[in-house]
Amino acid sequence: MAEAVLAIRDLCKSFGALRATENVSIDLVPGEIHALIGPNGAGKSTLIHQIAGTLKPDSGEIEFLGKPVSHIGAAERARMGLGRSFQVSSLAPEFSALRNVMLAVQSRQGTSFRFFKPVMRDAALVEPAMEALERAGLKDRARVPAAELSHGERRQLEIAIALALGSRAFLLDEPMAGMGPEGSKTLTSFLDGLRREAPILLVEHDMDAVFALADRISVLVYGRVIATGTVEEIRSDPEVRRAYLGGAE
Amino acid sequence: MKLLEIAGLETFYGASQALFGVDLDVAEGEVVALMGRNGMGKTTTIRSILAMTPARAGKVRLGGREIQAMRPHRIARLGIGLVPEGRRCFPNLTVAENLLAAARSGRWNLAEINRLFPRLEERRDQMARTLSGGEQQMLAIGRALMTNPRLLILDEATEGLAPVIRNDIWAVIRVLKAEGQSILIVDKTLSELLPSADRCVVLEKGATVWSGRPGELTPSLQDRYLGV
Amino acid sequence: MSRETAINVVLALLLLAVPFIAMQLGKPFYVTLATRMAILGLAAIGLNIALGLGGLVSFGHAAFFGIGGYAAGILASHAFSGQPLDFGLFAVPGSKLMPVIWAVAIVAGGLLAAAIGSISLRTSGVYFIMITLAFAQMTYYFAISWPAYGGEDGLSITIRNTFPGVNTLVPQNYFLICYALLVVGLVLFALLRDSRFGAALQASRQNEVRVASVGIAPFRIKLVAFVISGMITGLAGALYADLNRFVSPSMLSWHMSGEFIVLIILGGVGRLCGPLAGAMLFVMLEYILGGLTERWQFFLGLLLLGVVLFARGGLIGLLAGRARHG
Amino acid sequence: MQTALFIEQILNGLQLGVMLFLMAAGLTLIFGVMGLINLAHGSLYMVGAFACAAVAGATGSFWLGLAASLAAAAAAGALVEILVIRRLYERDHLDQVLATFALILIFSEGTRWLFGSFPLYLDIPPLLQGTVPIPGGSRYQLYRLAIISVGVAVAVGLFLLISRTRLGMRIRAGESDREMIGALGVDIRTLYTVVFALGAALAGLAGAMVGALQSVQVGMGEPVLILAFVVIVIGGIGSIKGALVGALLVGLTDTMGRILLPQLFGVFMDPSRAGLVGGAVASMLIYIVMAVILAVRPRGLFAAKG
Amino acid sequence: EPVKIGMITTLSGGGAGLGIDARDGFMLALKNAGDAASEIEVVTEDDGQKPELAVQIADKMIQSDQVDILTGIIWSNLAMAVVPSAVAQGKFYLSVNAGPSPLAGSQCNENYFNVAYQNDNFHEAMGQYANQDYQKTFILAPNYPAGTDALTGFKRFYKGELTGEVYTQLGQTDYAAEIAQIRASGADSVFMFLPGGMGIAFTKQYAQSGVDIPLMGPGFSFSQDVLGAIGDAALGVKNSGSWAKDLDNEANAKFVETFQAEYGRLPSVYAAQAYDTANLIVAAAGKASVKDADAFRAALKEADFDSVRGKFSFNTNNHPIQDIYVREVIKEGDVLTNKIVSTAFTDHKDAYAAECSLQ
Ligand SMILES: Nc1ncnc2c1ncn2[C@@H]1O[C@H](COP(=O)(O)OP(=O)(O)OP(=O)(O)O)[C@@H](O)[C@H]1O
Ligand SMILES: Nc1ncnc2c1ncn2[C@@H]1O[C@H](COP(=O)(O)OP(=O)(O)OP(=O)(O)O)[C@@H](O)[C@H]1O
Ligand SMILES: [Mg+2]
Ligand SMILES: [Mg+2]
C-alpha cells in the first residue's frame, strides 16, 4: 500500500462524560475513497472537525503529508492542502459563487495581504475559480449570490471550493445530503473521478453512493471504529448490519 | 372530507416567482407525497401553506376554512405540525424543552415521544445544538408530533439519517398512517416513499404537473419528473 | 457607470460645491459646516472599513479619533510653548506643521488600534461592541483626569496649524485640505474593498469558519483592518482638532463613537459613500433643526427613526438599491 | 479599615450592584433573549423615575408613584415595541442601534417637554426611612436594604421565569428561530411585546427606586445604561444569573476601588495626589475588569457555550 | 447704535435648566431696560452641553450672523473651547457663569470679561467661612479640573485639618461609599463640590444616611434650580454665593420681582449673573459704539451698571471684584430658598490676576 496522505492515530475526544472519539486510527492512501459510516451521533462529524482543525482532540496524533499537524490551526492545515466540505453548507452568503471560489484560489496563491489590485479584474484569480466551478457543474450560476443557490447547488459549491484549493486530500461530510436522485448520480460520478486527484475521506449516509464509490469503509459506532474493510466485507459484517445498516441496505 | 385544499397557489421571493400555480389536496387520514426535483418548489409550497412565505394568489383551506390570510401561528394552531427542511431545532433549548416549548395536549406527549425515539430520552437535558445531525432530525419530528397536529408535514425528514434510523422513521410514518394521521410528505427516498403514500403530487418549475396514485407513477414518469 | 457610482460622484461634487456656493451667498459659515462634513465623513470611512467590510462593530472609535485630536493638540501646544515633549529617555519638539501632525496622528491611531484590536478581536458580536467601548472609556477617563493637557477642560490650539504653501486660516483652504484627504480616504476604501485583502475581510464578516477552512486566518485579516481603520479615524481626529482649534475628552466619549456608527448606518453600511452621505445628512439636520427649534433633538430622533424604518440600507441603499458583490 | 466600615462598604457595593442588576435584568432579557440591542433602555429607566416623582409629588404617596412607574414604563415599552422594535427583529443589529438611539433623543427631549428642564423631587417613603443595626456595630440604611431584597427577588423570579416556565422556553426558542416557533403555533409577536414591556417595567422600577436616591432628571439613564451593558457583557449575554453576578461584581469592584485605591496610592504619594490618581484609576477600574474578563473569557462569565 | 449678541447656552439635555435660567435672566434685563436696549439684538442657540457644538455655533455666529459679542456659556469646558478663539478673532466675550482659571490667569484677554466669578471664588469663600467653626473638614469633588480647582480653592483659605480629600468619578450617582467614609473619618464638617445631578444625589443620600456632620458647599449645588429636587435634605446647609434673592438693594428687588412675574419661578444665581451681564452690555452700549473696540472695552471695564449683587467692579484681569456671602438654605412657606447669613469676603479678587498680562 502506498504511503498514507493522511494518518490518524489513537485520536480521543470527550464532551464531558460522552466519548465522541475513542482511540480512532484511520488512514487515507493516494487514489482511494475511504468511506466513514456509522449511526447518527457516532462521532463522524466530530472526527472530521478534529482532522480539519476546528476542534481540538484530547489526545492522539494526526499526520498529513507525513508531517504531524495536531498543533497547527485550521487555516494552516487548509493551506497545506486539506480541503473540506461541511455537513451543513458553510459559505459566504453575500458573495457570488465565483467569489466564494476565488477566496480559495487567493489563499492557495499565498497572501491575502494585497491591498490595491481589484480581484474581479485579476485573471489569476478569476480563471482558476471559473475552472473549478465548471468542473463542479456550477459555471452557469457563477454570478449568483450563495444565499440564493438551492440546497443542491450549495453542495456543489462546497466541492468547487475544495477543488480550487488544490487540495491534497478531501474531507467530505455528507455531500449527498439533500440531493435528489439526479444530483446524487452526477455527484457520484464526479467523486469517482476526483479520487485520482486526491484521496477522499467520505462521510455519507447514502449507502448507494458509498457502496458504489468506496475502496474501503470504516464503521464508527459510539466513537470507536468497529470495522474497516472493503465494501463486501462491511456489507456482510453482522455487527455492522445490526448497528447501522438494519434490514435494508 | 378534504383536510387540506390548495388551488392555484402563486408565491414570490421578493421579485422572483417560485410558485406558478400549485394544486394539491390531502384528505383526512391520507398520506400524500409531494415530489419533484431540486428547486421545483416543494419547500416553498409548504412555506406557503403555513404563510411563512405568504402566497400572492391562490387559496389554501384547512378543514374547509380559508387560512391564507392568517398568520403562521394561527394556522399552526388550527392543526398543522411542521418538520421543516434543515431541522431547525432550537439550539439553546434542551431536548426536553424543544419538545415542550410548543406542545399541545393530545395523544403525543413526552413519554410517547421517548418511546418512539429512545435516543432523545438519553439526551433529554442536552442542548439541541450539540446533538448530532440525526438526533436533531428525530427531535424535529418529535417536536412536530408534540403539537398533536391534524396534518403532519414532513419536509425531507429522513435526510442525513443512518439507514437503521431511517427505517425506524419510515416505520413511525407507517404507524402514524395506520392510526389515521394525515400526512403531507416530501422525501428523496422513493423506495420508501412510494409504498407509504396514498397519493403523489409532482411539481415542476413551481406548478403541479401530475398527480395520482403511487402505482401510476411509472418508471418513465419518474425519469421525466424526478430524474431517476 | 452604475447607479451607485453616479450617486457617489454627485455626492462628492455636491460637497465640493458647498463652499463656493456659500461664498456666493455670503454665508461663509457653510464652509465650516462642509469641512465638518468632510472630516466626520473621513472618520466614519475609517470605521466603515472595520464595521462595513469586516463586520467589526466598534463602539470605541472615538478613542482613535480622540488620540488623533490630542496628537494635534499636544504637538501644537508644545510648539506654541517651545517646550519639547519629554519622553523620559528622549525629548521631541512640538510641531505646528500639519503633515507632521497627521503622521503622528495616523501612527498613534494605528498603534492604539493594534493594542485594542489584539485583545478585542478575541471576542465577537456584542462582546466586541462592549470591549471596544470599554477601551474607549478608559482613554476617556484617563483624558478627563489627566491634568497635564487640560483634563476635562480640554486643550485649545489658539491658531490653526500650518500647511506648507497654504494659508490654513482661510476657511476655504482648510476645507480643501480636508476634502482632499476625504477623497484619499474614499479611494483607499474602494481599493481596499475590491482587493484580495478586502475579499478576505468581507468573507470573514460573512462566515469566519469558511475563511479559515480555505486557509486564511481571519484574526490577522481583521486585526490589520482594524489598524487601518484606526489610522484613518486618527487622521480625521487631527483634522477635527484643527477645525475646532480645540481638543477635549468629549472627542473620546461614547457619544462620539455612537455618532460614527449612526453616520454609517444613516448613509449605508459598507457602501463607499455611506459615511459621507451620513455625515452630510447628519450635520445638515443638526444644523437646520438646531436653528429652528430648541427641541431639535426630538425631531432629529423622529427623522432618524423614519430613516431606519423606511429606508433600508441607509441613504445610499435608498437611492442606489442593495449592494451586490460581484 | 475597621470591620464595621468594611462591612458597610461591602453592603454598599452589594447595593450598588443590585441597583445595576435591576437595570441590567431588563436589558439582558430583551437583549439576550430577544436578540435586540436596546439603547433606549436607559430612557425607560428615566420614564419610570419621572412617573414615580410626578405621581408621588401629586399624591404624596411614594407607593402610588412606584405603581405608576411600573405602569408608565411598561406602557412606554409596549408602545415602542409595537410601533418601532417589531419592525426591526429581522434586521441587522445596526438598524436596531440607530433606531433605539433615535428613541433616546425622542424620549429625552419629550420628557423635558413634558416636565420642564429642572430636576424633579422624589424621596424615600417614610416607611423605609431610617437605619437598622448591622454586624460590626454600625448602622445601615433601611431603604438600601430594601433595594437589595427587591433585587434578589427579581433575580429569583426572572431566573425561574426564563428557565423553568413554558413562557421562558418559548422566549428562548424565539430568539434563535422566530419563524420556526411561529410555525409551531406560538404567537411570538404578542409574546415579544409582553417581554419587552416586562423588561421596560423592570427598568422603570429601577428608575423609580433609584430616583429616591438621586436626581430625577433628563439624561439620568445614560450613565446607568453603559454600566448595565458592562454588567451583562461581563455576566454573559442573555443569562439572568450572569447579570446578577456581573452586577454584584461591578458594584463591589467600583465601591471597593473608590475606597481602597486612593489608600493604596497613599502609601507612596501625598494624600491629595493619591486621591487624584486613585480616583482616576478607580473610574477606569470596571472597564479594566471588563476588558480582562473578556480577554480571558470572550463570551462573558456565564454565556451559554456555543 | 445696533449691537448684535450671540448667546450660546445649554437649552437641551440634562444641563438645560441652567442655560434656560441664564437665557431668561438675560432677556429679562433687556426687557426691563426698555428703550435703552432697543437696538440690541440677541441670537440664541443651544450647545447641548457639547464643546464641539459650541465651537461650531460660535463660528457660525461670528462668520454668518456677524455678532459683536458672544455670551451665555455655562460650563467651563465649553468656555475653554469657545473663548480663546473667539477673542482671538476680535470678538467680545462676556461670561455669565463659567470662570476657568486659565482664562483668569495665563490666557486672560482684554476682550474677555467675566461678569460672574472666577471658578475658585465660591470655594475660597467656603474655606474662609469654615475657619470660624471647624477644625476637621472632609472635602470631596469630582475628578476633573473644576473639581481639583474647587478643592484647591477651598484649601487656599482653610486653615484647619483635612480628615479626607476624595475625588469622585464624574457623573457618579451613588455616594454611599463616600458617605460611609465621611462617617468614619471623625470630621466635624464636610465640604463638597458636586455640580448638577451629582450634588442633588449626594445631598439627598447624605441626609438619608443619618450622618449629622454639617455640610457645606458652593452656591451652585444649592441654587434655586436644584433646591426643589433636593428637597428638605438641603435645609440648613451653608453655601457660598455672590448673590441671594434677599440681597438688599433696589436692582435686586426689581430683578426678583420681575423674574417671578415673567416666568413664574424664583430666579437662580445663573439668572442673576446673566441679568447683570445684559445690564453691563446695555450700560456700555450707551457709552460707546461696539464697533469701536477700544472705547467699548473701556466702557465695559467701568462696569457702570446697577448690579443685583450691589457693588461690582472689574479687577485688572477683567474678573469681578465682589463680596461673597455665606447663605443658608431655608424654607419660605413650602418653597426652599437661600438666605444670607454672613459675609465671607468683601471685595474679593481671584488668585490668578497676577498671572494675567493685562495690567
Ligand atoms: N459540543 C458538544 N458538546 C456535547 N456533545 C457533543 C458536542 N458536539 C457533539 N456532541 C455529541 O457527540 C456525538 C457525536 O456527534 P457528531 O456530530 O460527530 O455525530 P455524527 O456521527 O456526525 O452524526 P450524524 O451522522 O448524525 O451527523 C453526538 O452524540 C453529539 O450529541
Ligand atoms: N429565500 C429564497 N430566496 C430566493 N429564492 C429562493 C429562496 N428559497 C428558495 N428559492 C428559490 O425558489 C425555488 C423553489 O425552491 P424550493 O426550496 O421550494 O425547492 P424544493 O423543491 O424544496 O427543492 P429541494 O429539493 O432542493 O429542497 C428555487 O428556484 C429556489 O432557488
Ligand atoms: Mg455529522
Ligand atoms: Mg426543499
Side-chain angles (χ1 to χ4, degrees):
Chain A
M1 208 191 276
E3 182 73 18
V5 177
L6 180 69
I8 294 135
R9 265 183 273 295
D10 296 327
L11 213 61
C12 295
K13 174 82 193 173
S14 305
F15 296 112
L18 182 78
R19 299 205 165 151
T21 309
E22 210 177 341
N23 291 321
V24 172
S25 300
I26 281 184
D27 58 11
L28 195 58
V29 297
E32 79 164 338
I33 292 183
H34 189 154
L36 188 62
I37 64 173
N40 294 112
K44 302 180 295 294
S45 299
T46 305
L47 186 62
I48 297 281
H49 277 299
Q50 292 171 77
I51 301 174
T54 41
L55 196 67
K56 209 173 138 52
D58 297 336
S59 65
E61 270 304 317
I62 302 169
E63 267 185 26
F64 181 54
L65 303 173
K67 278 179 248 147
V69 294
S70 307
H71 58 284
I72 65 178
E76 204 164 325
R77 290 186 208 185
R79 261 199 311 267
M80 288 174 70
L82 199 53
R84 59 118 36 129
S85 79
F86 292 84
Q87 180 167 0
V88 178
S89 301
S90 179
L91 301 161
E94 291 169 22
F95 276 3
S96 62
L98 177 63
R99 290 202 69 177
N100 268 284
V101 181
M102 280 164 64
L103 204 61
V105 179
Q106 138 181 0
S107 162
R108 176 185 173 185
Q109 290 179 356
T111 179
S112 285
F113 291 98
R114 290 207 198 141
F115 299 100
F116 300 115
K117 186 166 183 184
V119 280
M120 294 312 285
R121 270 181 259 143
D122 191 343
L125 286 179
V126 177
E127 276 164 19
M130 281 312 267
E131 203 180 296
L133 281 173
E134 184 163 11
R135 288 187 59 200
L138 263 184
K139 193 173 177 224
D140 303 339
R141 307 283 279 167
R143 305 277 170 177
V144 179
E148 286 169 30
L149 293 176
S150 88
H151 190 74
E153 288 166 335
R154 286 185 212 178
R155 317 265 12 157
Q156 287 168 292
L157 182 53
E158 295 245 353
I159 307 267
I161 293 175
L163 282 175
L165 262 177
S167 300
R168 307 285 298 275
F170 292 105
L171 310 169
L172 305 184
D173 198 353
E174 300 198 31
M176 308 280 175
M179 291 224 179
E182 197 182 29
S184 304
K185 264 192 290 184
T186 332
L187 188 59
T188 304
S189 62
F190 176 74
L191 293 181
D192 200 15
L194 186 62
R195 80 175 99 193
R196 278 190 294 278
E197 255 169 66
I200 303 172
L201 184 62
L202 175 70
V203 173
E204 190 49 72
H205 285 302
D206 181 338
M207 284 305 116
D208 296 338
V210 169
F211 291 148
L213 286 171
D215 298 296
R216 282 194 293 161
I217 300 179
S218 290
V219 186
L220 203 65
V221 177
Y222 283 115
R224 282 214 301 264
V225 178
I226 59 162
T228 300
T230 62
V231 170
E232 278 321 308
E233 287 162 10
I234 295 299
R235 265 188 147 155
S236 53
D237 187 321
E239 179 72 1
V240 177
R241 295 188 72 93
R242 197 187 56 73
Y244 182 65
L245 296 176
E249 43 187 66
Chain B
M1 163 74 186
K2 291 289 183 210
L3 179 56
L4 178 74
E5 292 169 90
I6 298 176
L9 213 56
E10 292 185 30
T11 302
F12 292 72
Y13 287 108
S16 71
Q17 187 164 6
L19 298 188
F20 295 83
V22 172
D23 306 309
L24 167 78
D25 45 44
V26 182
E28 201 84 64
E30 198 182 22
V31 174
V32 175
L34 183 59
M35 309 168 83
R37 277 192 288 242
N38 283 123
M40 289 306 160
K42 305 181 292 292
T43 302
T44 308
T45 302
I46 291 170
R47 291 182 60 84
S48 295
I49 293 174
L50 273 153
M52 293 158 84
T53 308
R56 285 211 199 148
K59 284 216 161 22
V60 186
R61 282 205 186 81
L62 187 70
R65 203 157 148 195
E66 282 206 19
I67 58 170
Q68 72 266 28
M70 294 180 181
R71 288 202 284 135
H73 74 275
R74 301 259 302 123
I75 300 173
R77 268 193 239 165
L78 288 176
I80 295 184
L82 173 68
V83 179
E85 190 175 57
R87 301 157 191 154
R88 295 174 74 172
C89 298
F90 302 121
N92 296 328
L93 267 59
T94 63
V95 169
E97 287 175 340
N98 261 281
L99 292 172
L100 287 173
R104 286 190 289 279
S105 62
R107 174 189 181 301
W108 292 101
N109 53 32
L110 214 48
E112 280 295 307
I113 299 291
N114 285 337
R115 192 154 26 237
L116 192 62
F117 300 116
R119 178 56 81 93
L120 293 183
E121 165 119 69
E122 287 169 33
R123 300 256 178 273
R124 62 166 299 177
D125 292 320
Q126 190 169 325
M127 289 291 171
R129 78 185 112 85
T130 64
L131 295 180
S132 83
E135 291 162 347
Q136 292 190 16
Q137 192 61 267
M138 298 176 212
L139 182 56
I141 297 175
R143 184 178 66 180
L145 286 175
M146 287 288 282
T147 68
N148 287 291
R150 289 165 74 189
L151 173 66
L152 181 65
I153 300 183
L154 300 154
D155 193 355
E156 315 267 10
T158 63
E159 177 187 318
L161 294 188
V164 256
I165 312 279
R166 210 179 285 200
N167 292 343
D168 290 351
I169 292 196
W170 284 113
V172 169
I173 292 171
R174 282 190 289 271
V175 170
L176 292 172
K177 177 180 168 170
E179 288 179 0
Q181 172 77 54
S182 317
I183 301 176
L184 177 65
I185 182 166
V186 174
D187 209 280
K188 300 273 157 62
T189 332
L190 296 188
S191 58
E192 296 279 5
L193 180 61
L194 292 178
S196 312
D198 296 316
R199 231 151 31 78
C200 300
V201 175
V202 178
L203 297 186
E204 189 159 85
K205 304 225 166 95
T208 305
V209 288
W210 188 89
S211 76
R213 286 189 291 111
E216 296 164 7
L217 193 63
T218 59
S220 72
L221 284 174
Q222 287 190 20
D223 181 50
R224 178 157 149 220
Y225 292 130
L226 309 174
V228 176
Chain C
M1 206 194 294
S2 81
R3 195 184 161 104
E4 183 169 351
T5 318
I7 290 169
N8 291 347
V9 170
V10 169
L11 269 179
L13 289 180
L14 205 66
L15 182 60
L16 185 60
V18 170
F20 297 98
I21 298 172
M23 296 318 285
Q24 290 296 314
L25 293 177
K27 298 260 184 197
F29 172 66
Y30 289 168
V31 183
T32 307
L33 274 191
T35 315
R36 196 173 145 92
M37 290 172 179
I39 296 173
L40 289 180
L42 181 65
I45 287 172
L47 178 59
N48 204 22
I49 290 176
L51 187 153
L53 299 183
L56 306 170
V57 185
S58 163
F59 201 176
H61 257 53
F64 313 128
F65 194 62
I67 203 174
Y70 269 97
I74 291 174
L75 285 173
S77 77
H78 281 277
F80 191 73
S81 68
Q83 274 170 355
L85 270 110
D86 193 0
F87 285 102
L89 296 176
F90 57 96
V92 283
S95 173
K96 294 222 51 137
L97 264 184
M98 285 193 185
V100 175
I101 288 173
W102 297 343
V104 173
I106 289 173
V107 170
L111 286 178
L112 187 64
I116 293 180
S118 56
I119 299 176
S120 305
L121 285 169
R122 296 166 50 88
T123 67
S124 60
V126 175
Y127 296 94
F128 182 80
I129 300 183
M130 292 312 295
I131 195 169
T132 45
L133 170 71
F135 281 110
Q137 288 292 90
M138 284 182 221
T139 58
Y140 173 72
Y141 282 113
F142 179 77
I144 279 197
S145 43
W146 191 35
Y149 295 105
E152 154 101 353
D153 281 352
L155 184 60
S156 27
I157 304 172
T158 323
I159 301 172
R160 188 172 284 152
N161 293 305
T162 55
F163 190 89
V166 181
N167 178 1
T168 57
L169 296 179
V170 178
Q172 295 93 304
N173 290 353
Y174 191 59
F175 168 79
L176 286 175
I177 291 178
C178 295
Y179 187 82
L181 289 173
L182 172 75
V183 171
V184 171
L186 285 172
V187 170
L188 196 71
F189 181 89
L191 287 175
L192 219 58
R193 181 190 55 189
D194 296 336
S195 70
R196 291 186 180 208
F197 176 75
L201 181 61
Q202 291 170 76
S204 311
R205 164 170 53 88
Q206 298 167 45
N207 188 343
E208 212 166 292
V209 179
R210 171 38 83 194
V211 173
S213 69
V214 298
I216 300 170
F219 181 85
R220 280 163 55 200
I221 298 281
K222 290 192 291 186
L223 183 58
V224 171
F226 197 68
V227 170
I228 296 176
S229 167
M231 287 158 79
I232 295 178
T233 304
L235 172 64
L239 296 177
Y240 199 63
D242 255 325
L243 173 70
N244 294 334
R245 297 170 304 280
F246 175 72
V247 240
S248 82
S250 79
M251 270 177 87
L252 294 156
S253 76
W254 69 274
H255 294 100
M256 204 77 222
S257 302
E259 201 170 303
F260 295 146
I261 297 182
V262 168
L263 295 184
I264 293 185
I265 308 171
L266 205 56
V269 177
R271 313 297 281 260
L272 175 60
C273 280
L276 178 60
M280 288 170 69
L281 183 66
F282 192 80
V283 172
M284 210 163 72
L285 282 181
E286 198 177 63
Y287 174 71
I288 295 176
L289 292 176
L292 289 179
T293 157
E294 174 179 309
R295 313 230 178 265
W296 61 278
Q297 298 198 353
F298 185 83
F299 297 101
L300 180 65
L302 283 183
L303 273 169
L304 292 181
L305 207 54
V307 172
V308 203
L309 291 181
F310 304 112
R312 291 183 85 151
L315 213 57
I316 301 279
L318 185 70
L319 297 174
R322 291 185 63 82
R324 282 191 69 90
H325 298 259
Chain D
M1 209 188 295
Q2 316 95 302
T3 345
L5 184 57
F6 187 73
I7 292 175
E8 188 175 349
Q9 297 295 24
I10 295 278
L11 278 175
N12 284 333
L14 283 179
Q15 186 267 133
L16 179 61
V18 164
M19 219 147 83
L20 287 174
F21 169 74
L22 282 177
M23 184 71 179
L27 194 63
T28 210
L29 190 70
I30 292 171
F31 190 69
V33 172
M34 298 164 57
L36 179 96
I37 297 187
N38 180 22
L39 294 182
H41 203 65
S43 300
L44 297 165
Y45 170 89
M46 177 183 73
V47 167
F50 270 88
C52 186
V55 171
T59 63
S61 161
F62 177 83
W63 304 107
L64 281 180
L66 199 64
S69 73
L70 284 170
L79 202 66
V80 161
E81 202 275 344
I82 290 171
L83 292 180
V84 180
I85 308 291
R86 181 172 284 183
R87 300 156 205 268
L88 299 175
Y89 291 121
E90 254 96 273
R91 302 270 198 96
D92 201 325
H93 271 345
L94 288 173
D95 282 348
Q96 304 169 355
V97 169
L98 182 55
T100 49
F101 173 80
L103 284 173
I104 296 185
L105 297 180
I106 294 173
F107 268 113
S108 292
E109 245 3 80
T111 307
R112 217 164 59 77
W113 213 335
L114 281 177
F115 291 96
S117 302
F118 299 99
L120 297 193
Y121 172 75
L122 180 62
D123 200 7
I124 298 179
L127 188 64
L128 296 175
Q129 275 169 4
T131 57
V132 292
I134 51 166
S138 186
R139 299 183 69 83
Y140 200 70
Q141 221 182 310
L142 187 59
Y143 187 68
R144 289 179 186 262
L145 287 179
I147 291 183
I148 296 184
S149 27
V150 169
V152 171
V154 168
V156 172
L158 274 183
F159 180 76
L160 292 179
L161 176 77
I162 294 299
S163 65
R164 296 293 148 79
T165 66
R166 184 165 296 197
L167 181 72
M169 285 176 207
R170 291 179 170 179
I171 293 170
R172 280 181 289 144
E175 198 240 322
S176 48
D177 197 335
R178 253 176 88 76
E179 185 181 68
M180 195 57 223
I181 188 80
L184 287 170
V186 174
D187 183 1
I188 193 79
R189 203 144 96 178
T190 312
L191 187 66
Y192 273 18
T193 309
V194 170
V195 171
F196 200 88
L198 176 65
L202 285 175
L205 175 69
M209 295 204 318
V210 172
L213 291 176
Q214 30 167 281
S215 125
V216 177
Q217 62 180 23
V218 172
M220 64 187 288
E222 288 178 23
V224 210
L225 176 75
I226 295 267
L227 285 184
F229 269 108
V230 170
V231 162
I232 63 175
V233 165
I234 288 183
I237 291 164
S239 157
I240 297 291
K241 185 165 100 190
L244 184 61
V245 174
L248 295 182
L249 189 68
V250 168
L252 285 170
T253 309
D254 190 54
T255 304
M256 293 327 251
R258 263 151 56 197
I259 302 306
L260 296 178
L261 280 172
Q263 300 190 358
L264 183 71
F265 284 99
V267 175
F268 45 88
M269 290 176 188
D270 72 83
S272 180
R273 239 188 110 56
L276 280 170
V277 179
V281 178
S283 57
M284 290 183 256
L285 192 61
I286 55 167
Y287 297 103
I288 296 173
V289 168
M290 166 160 120
V292 169
I293 287 178
L294 288 188
V296 179
R297 299 193 57 141
R299 324 200 85 229
L301 294 175
F302 292 95
K305 292 191 203 79
Chain E
E1 197 77 26
V3 178
K4 198 159 184 189
I5 301 172
M7 177 169 237
I8 306 169
T9 196
T10 304
L11 302 173
S12 66
L18 283 61
I20 288 175
D21 254 10
R23 180 196 60 190
D24 291 350
F26 196 90
M27 292 313 197
L28 180 69
L30 296 184
K31 190 173 172 216
N32 287 352
D35 279 348
S38 60
E39 285 197 295
I40 296 182
E41 185 193 339
V42 185
V43 282
T44 309
E45 287 218 35
D46 172 27
D47 60 32
Q49 208 177 333
K50 294 186 203 154
E52 289 79 23
L53 207 51
V55 169
Q56 177 183 317
I57 295 169
D59 280 348
K60 173 187 163 246
M61 287 179 167
I62 294 171
Q63 293 165 8
S64 284
D65 299 332
Q66 316 219 312
V67 299
D68 308 298
I69 301 172
L70 284 168
T71 185
I73 293 178
I74 300 292
W75 316 95
S76 290
N77 59 331
L78 273 68
M80 288 302 293
V82 168
V83 174
S85 84
V87 293
Q89 294 175 65
K91 300 294 166 188
F92 286 98
Y93 185 92
L94 273 67
S95 179
V96 298
N97 188 54
S101 53
L103 295 181
S106 57
Q107 292 187 47
C108 69
N109 187 291
E110 56 178 5
N111 285 346
Y112 170 73
F113 288 82
N114 188 316
V115 198
Y117 54 83
Q118 198 283 316
N119 280 357
D120 297 3
N121 292 164
F122 291 8
H123 314 298
E124 291 168 342
M126 235 42 232
Q128 175 78 342
Y129 168 79
N131 289 330
Q132 290 177 18
D133 301 327
Y134 306 123
Q135 287 80 42
K136 292 194 282 183
T137 303
F138 190 104
I139 58 179
L140 79 164
N143 198 355
Y144 75 124
T148 46
D149 284 358
L151 297 194
T152 313
F154 181 87
K155 289 188 283 185
R156 192 174 290 138
F157 285 83
Y158 180 63
K159 301 192 182 66
E161 177 195 343
L162 293 181
T163 55
E165 176 171 353
V166 166
Y167 293 91
T168 61
Q169 190 174 330
L170 195 61
Q172 185 173 321
T173 49
D174 193 78
Y175 293 92
E178 286 75 11
I179 292 170
Q181 264 184 306
I182 291 172
R183 190 207 312 264
S185 71
D188 63 5
S189 56
V190 177
F191 172 77
M192 67 88 167
F193 165 62
L194 293 164
M198 294 184 278
I200 299 175
F202 177 85
T203 312
K204 277 166 85 172
Q205 291 167 26
Y206 190 76
Q208 289 159 0
S209 73
V211 177
D212 47 16
I213 305 168
L215 182 64
M216 306 176 278
F220 328 110
S221 296
F222 303 92
S223 74
Q224 204 58 51
D225 53 307
V226 294
L227 280 178
I230 303 177
D232 289 350
L235 271 180
V237 175
K238 300 285 194 313
N239 63 92
S240 51
S242 54
W243 173 87
K245 159 174 106 28
D246 59 343
L247 255 185
D248 188 16
N249 64 60
E250 203 179 315
N252 196 36
K254 180 173 179 200
F255 164 60
V256 174
E257 189 196 314
T258 50
F259 191 95
Q260 257 186 309
E262 184 82 19
Y263 306 109
R265 60 177 195 270
L266 287 176
S268 68
V269 65
Y270 311 102
Q273 289 166 170
Y275 186 84
D276 270 0
T277 307
N279 278 326
L280 171 64
I281 295 174
V282 172
K287 292 185 174 181
S289 161
V290 73
K291 305 293 180 229
D292 180 354
D294 290 332
F296 192 75
R297 189 180 310 118
L300 282 174
K301 189 116 188 179
E302 281 177 35
D304 183 14
F305 69 104
D306 289 331
S307 170
V308 296
R309 287 170 269 183
K311 57 184 169 28
F312 180 98
S313 58
F314 282 117
N315 195 358
T316 50
N317 62 347
N318 295 348
H319 278 61
I321 302 176
Q322 60 186 340
D323 293 352
I324 305 200
Y325 309 99
V326 175
R327 319 178 300 177
E328 181 179 337
V329 180
I330 55 152
K331 213 164 187 176
E332 273 180 3
D334 49 358
V335 181
L336 290 163
T337 187
N338 281 292
K339 180 181 112 218
I340 291 179
V341 291
S342 70
T343 306
F345 291 125
T346 39
D347 293 337
H348 187 61
K349 303 172 182 170
D350 62 82
Y352 301 91
E355 293 167 34
C356 171
S357 52
L358 299 172
Q359 285 313 329

